[in-house]
Amino acid sequence: MEGKADVRAKVLIADPGRPKRLRLAHTVPSLRETILGALCWGIAMALSAWLALWCRENAATFHLGSILILYASGGLIAWPLSLFAARCLSKNRPVETRFAAFFLCLVAGTIGTTAFLFALDYRTFYAQWHAMTGTRTWLFQFAFTSLGAFYQFLVLGVRLYLPLGAVALVATCLLLARSDARQRR
């Protein structure tokens, strides 16, 4: 029969005597990690979009600069949010679980943030034909225009993350899951 300490070590339960505030503080990425990671992730997402357009022979598109800025901004904003969320989900877990948490959070965070930025731009363009702000009609127009923009990004925009974005995602998740010293505390 195993003792309580052995069972606790196997299940990897966080120390219940430790304040939640301290446990949460270990999941917050450092400023250096946040800035360097966000810059690298944003550049990787912009390169992914450029490579996908180039492979499809659409690199000469009129709005190439805007597209690259959108994808870079989405990656830049998504990085700190995704990193924090993944660390919260995978605190004191095995490497495989940390990899899955980083993978899920980076995918959802990057696509969600970039889709949100796309929806803001989309909404700004169509706002000139919408009703006066604050009316019931405007609320419906705002909601359905934003939902339409999200759908359009999911259908047309997600494919620009392939093939380079998928490679960058797997490599980044492996690196974060294996070398995240804070997760082992």
Side-chain angles (χ1 to χ4, degrees):
M1 184 130 191
E2 295 177 317
K4 276 189 174 181
D6 292 335
V7 172
R8 185 171 297 201
K10 279 188 179 179
V11 180
L12 296 170
I13 298 174
D15 183 17
R18 189 180 221 182
K20 284 187 180 183
R21 184 182 50 198
L22 257 171
R23 283 186 275 163
L24 189 63
H26 286 291
T27 61
V28 176
S30 68
L31 185 62
R32 180 175 181 261
E33 231 177 355
T34 302
I35 292 172
L36 287 177
L39 288 174
C40 290
W41 190 248
I43 290 169
M45 294 303 101
L47 284 174
S48 175
W50 177 79
L51 181 66
L53 288 170
W54 183 75
C55 287
R56 291 174 181 92
E57 298 177 4
N58 291 336
T61 183
F62 181 68
H63 298 287
L64 181 64
S66 300
I67 293 169
L68 297 181
I69 288 172
L70 174 71
Y71 279 78
S73 300
L76 190 76
I77 295 169
W79 176 262
L81 303 173
S82 300
L83 192 61
F84 177 74
R87 285 186 173 165
C88 284
L89 290 174
S90 66
K91 184 78 175 142
N92 293 328
R93 301 280 193 243
V95 175
E96 300 85 12
T97 307
R98 289 199 308 264
F99 175 80
F102 283 115
F103 191 89
L104 175 69
C105 290
L106 278 173
V107 166
T110 304
I111 291 173
T113 304
T114 310
F116 176 73
L117 294 175
F118 178 75
L120 287 177
D121 185 49
Y122 196 89
R123 167 72 181 103
T124 302
F125 176 75
Y126 284 104
Q128 59 188 331
W129 294 291
H130 285 188
M132 295 296 296
T133 305
T135 63
R136 182 181 298 172
T137 305
W138 174 85
L139 185 64
F140 282 118
Q141 290 171 336
F142 178 81
F144 287 106
T145 301
S146 300
L147 288 173
F150 271 104
Y151 175 75
Q152 185 175 355
F153 182 80
L154 290 176
V155 170
L156 299 173
V158 169
R159 64 184 174 177
L160 295 184
Y161 287 117
L162 300 171
L164 183 64
V167 173
L169 175 68
V170 170
T172 302
C173 291
L174 281 172
L175 180 73
L176 287 171
R178 295 190 73 212
S179 67
D180 201 2
R182 288 179 180 234
Q183 292 296 327
R184 296 186 185 107
R185 291 183 187 169

